[in-house]
Amino acid sequence: MGKQALKLKRIQDAELKDKKVLVRVDYNVPLEGTTVTDQTRIQETLPTLKHLLESNCKIILLSHLGRPKGVVDDKFSLKPVVPVLKQMLKTQVHFGVDCMGPDAEKLVAKAKPGEVILLENLRFHPEEEKNDTSFAKALAGLGDYFIQDAFGALHRSHASTVGIPKYLPSAIGYLVQKELEFLDRTLGNPQRPFLALLGGAKISDKIGVIHRLLERVNTLLIGGGMTYTFLAAQGVSVGKSLVEKDKIQDAEKIIEEAYNRNVAFLVPADHVMVKEIRPGAPTLVSQAMAVQEDWIGVDIGPHTVELFSEKIAESKTIFWNGPMGIFEMEPFSHGSVEIAKILAQATEAGAVTVVGGGDTLAVLAKAGAADKMTHCSTGGGASLELLEGKVLPGLSALSQEN
Ligand code: AMP
């Protein structure tokens, strides 16, 4: 946070009139067959695309979808995005079956200014993830200018994030600007009290971000699977709950740092427990911080929801990443859904709420609260790396100091 002091050119400051503009977007959308089931990631790029259409540009869109591992696989085709874009932009949207090569070149030559070309999944070529120079050059050769608007891909050093800007004048689009404003500027200089709520399966991938957050927050609330490593670190019994034994020392250090920094550090005071993880398994509320022998903690309990709710209501800036329980199974989604509703109320009461991570956004959707946050980050990994203070490769590649 705050460390991302890179000089980045913005789309609104770039001379783009009548140009062929390559735009890296993150259309890694969920599909059911050939239907896009959540259009948020497409919707979020509209400000950038509309700006380019108003500048009479030919727009060439590049994206990845899923993990096809360098081979053509129809399951990961971007074609289903075409009708969605057509409907949203009310303009001609061409589809290129390959993101590079003669077909892509012909398509770009044929399209008229004010039209859009969506090229097929970049990751059908292994060169994308290897950041291959010739591949990046071939992509760059399709346009006159490069706009980076794929926030969710900025923590990756791929051809379409760090390669292309070597060969084209480049700028960041409106979505990347919005993400940086909330994740970097707002959370870097928050209105206080500042509260962070972290959940998800494991502590291991969040240790760095927790340390950074402890430097900033007034309150840190922990939920989800990582709870049990913290409880184990405090000598509380956790039954058969998920514990990362090799991270207990890290958890101890975090607890100590929270104490030294005077950060209110809360772990769940009760849990919803099961004897086996399956939908419909009989549940029991622990009534205490300890998880009984043979039981597994799968969600925060009602007393915890109340305690967390009080802390959230006292806060002016709130960041949430990671579900409070195994939310994918209906009976264990209750705690996460309640927290989503409490955050929606906090937003309405004037707090700034910033939510990140694919699972957490899925919880918001479940709670009908997706549009009730100040900002929903489209990039899980990228948002955590940014909060951790890491310089995102996709941004340093665009820095004007390069
Ligand atoms: P992450 O990718 O680290 O944010 O973790 C998200 C995953 O954490 C989801 O798939 C949840 O099912 C899982 N999760 C949340 N709470 C628990 C828990 N108590 N035990 C095991 N997994 C959990």
Side-chain angles (χ1 to χ4, degrees):
M1 279 184 277
K3 276 210 168 160
Q4 213 79 26
L6 300 168
K7 263 179 90 182
L8 299 167
K9 187 163 188 155
R10 304 174 310 165
I11 184 172
Q12 56 271 46
D13 304 322
E15 186 42 72
L16 296 167
K17 190 133 190 58
D18 303 327
K19 293 225 158 77
K20 284 183 290 180
V21 181
L22 274 176
V23 189
R24 174 60 161 102
V25 286
D26 178 3
Y27 288 167
N28 186 19
V29 290
L31 293 174
E32 248 166 49
T34 56
T35 306
V36 177
T37 53
D38 182 353
Q39 304 183 347
T40 314
R41 288 188 170 191
I42 307 171
Q43 190 88 36
E44 293 273 10
T45 61
L46 291 185
T48 288
L49 301 187
K50 287 188 173 156
H51 177 98
L52 296 173
L53 290 177
E54 280 158 20
S55 308
N56 200 42
C57 297
K58 223 184 250 193
I59 303 176
I60 306 148
L61 298 174
L62 301 171
S63 180
H64 73 283
L65 194 158
R67 294 177 191 271
K69 305 213 164 94
V71 293
V72 177
D73 183 343
D74 281 349
K75 255 200 335 267
F76 299 109
S77 173
L78 280 160
K79 205 166 181 189
V81 173
V82 173
V84 183
L85 272 176
K86 262 190 191 157
Q87 213 252 329
M88 286 180 180
L89 294 171
K90 310 271 183 273
T91 186
Q92 183 68 37
V93 180
H94 308 270
F95 183 69
V97 293
D98 194 354
C99 64
M100 60 171 294
D103 287 345
E105 284 159 23
K106 267 187 231 151
L107 200 55
V108 172
K110 195 183 88 181
K112 299 189 189 72
E115 293 184 352
V116 176
I117 301 142
L118 173 65
L119 296 177
E120 186 54 288
N121 197 338
L122 290 159
R123 292 191 186 166
F124 284 178
H125 290 267
E127 295 88 346
E128 159 66 356
E129 290 175 78
K130 286 187 191 139
N131 185 19
D132 178 83
T133 305
S134 328
F135 182 70
K137 261 190 201 162
L139 294 174
L142 295 169
D144 312 312
Y145 210 100
F146 177 61
I147 298 292
Q148 176 56 275
D149 219 17
F151 179 75
L154 289 178
H155 59 313
R156 310 267 183 222
S157 294
H158 293 170
S160 67
T161 55
V162 302
I164 297 175
K166 290 198 181 116
Y167 308 107
L168 283 181
S170 309
I172 51 172
Y174 288 112
L175 175 59
V176 168
Q177 290 176 46
K178 192 168 89 166
E179 293 275 11
L180 292 180
E181 182 180 326
F182 282 102
L183 293 167
D184 204 30
R185 280 208 278 144
T186 307
L187 297 188
N189 188 17
Q191 283 226 49
R192 296 188 177 276
F194 176 19
L195 175 146
L197 172 60
L198 295 180
K202 292 181 178 170
I203 162 178
S204 44
D205 42 1
K206 291 190 180 137
I207 292 170
V209 85
I210 295 176
H211 281 294
R212 286 293 292 184
L213 283 170
L214 283 174
E215 295 168 12
R216 318 253 154 182
V217 297
N218 304 96
T219 308
L220 181 62
L221 308 182
I222 299 287
M226 67 164 86
T227 299
Y228 305 100
T229 305
F230 282 109
L231 290 184
Q234 291 169 318
V236 178
S237 359
V238 296
K240 288 187 176 159
S241 310
L242 178 74
V243 171
E244 288 173 275
K245 289 212 175 83
D246 58 332
K247 297 293 174 240
I248 290 181
Q249 269 193 338
D250 292 284
E252 280 168 3
K253 275 191 203 134
I254 287 169
I255 295 166
E256 195 184 317
E257 188 180 343
Y259 178 79
N260 290 338
R261 289 187 181 276
N262 211 12
V263 171
F265 179 85
L266 269 75
V267 290
D270 60 349
H271 319 270
V272 174
M273 310 180 299
V274 291
K275 284 212 165 157
E276 50 176 333
I277 300 175
R278 62 170 169 85
T283 59
L284 186 71
V285 174
S286 67
Q287 311 288 351
M289 202 177 257
V291 175
Q292 278 87 325
E293 219 182 312
D294 289 337
W295 291 82
I296 308 164
V298 287
D299 195 7
I300 54 173
H303 183 45
T304 307
V305 171
E306 238 172 74
L307 286 175
F308 283 11
S309 164
E310 282 165 22
K311 289 287 172 194
I312 290 167
E314 288 166 5
S315 304
K316 290 226 169 72
T317 307
I318 298 149
F319 171 69
W320 180 22
N321 182 297
M324 297 288 102
I326 306 182
F327 77 102
E328 298 92 335
M329 285 183 209
E330 203 45 64
F332 322 137
S333 69
H334 187 75
S336 303
V337 166
E338 284 304 303
I339 292 291
K341 289 182 185 161
I342 291 162
L343 252 66
Q345 285 164 12
T347 320
E348 210 173 292
V352 173
T353 47
V354 180
V355 179
D359 286 328
T360 324
L361 298 189
V363 170
L364 290 185
K366 217 171 209 181
D371 55 350
K372 300 203 169 91
M373 303 296 134
T374 314
H375 178 66
C376 288
S377 176
T378 50
S383 65
L384 287 180
E385 288 198 16
L386 191 63
L387 284 175
E388 202 176 328
K390 288 189 180 157
V391 176
L392 304 180
L395 283 186
S396 49
L398 296 174
S399 169
Q400 295 184 299
E401 258 125 50
N402 264 340

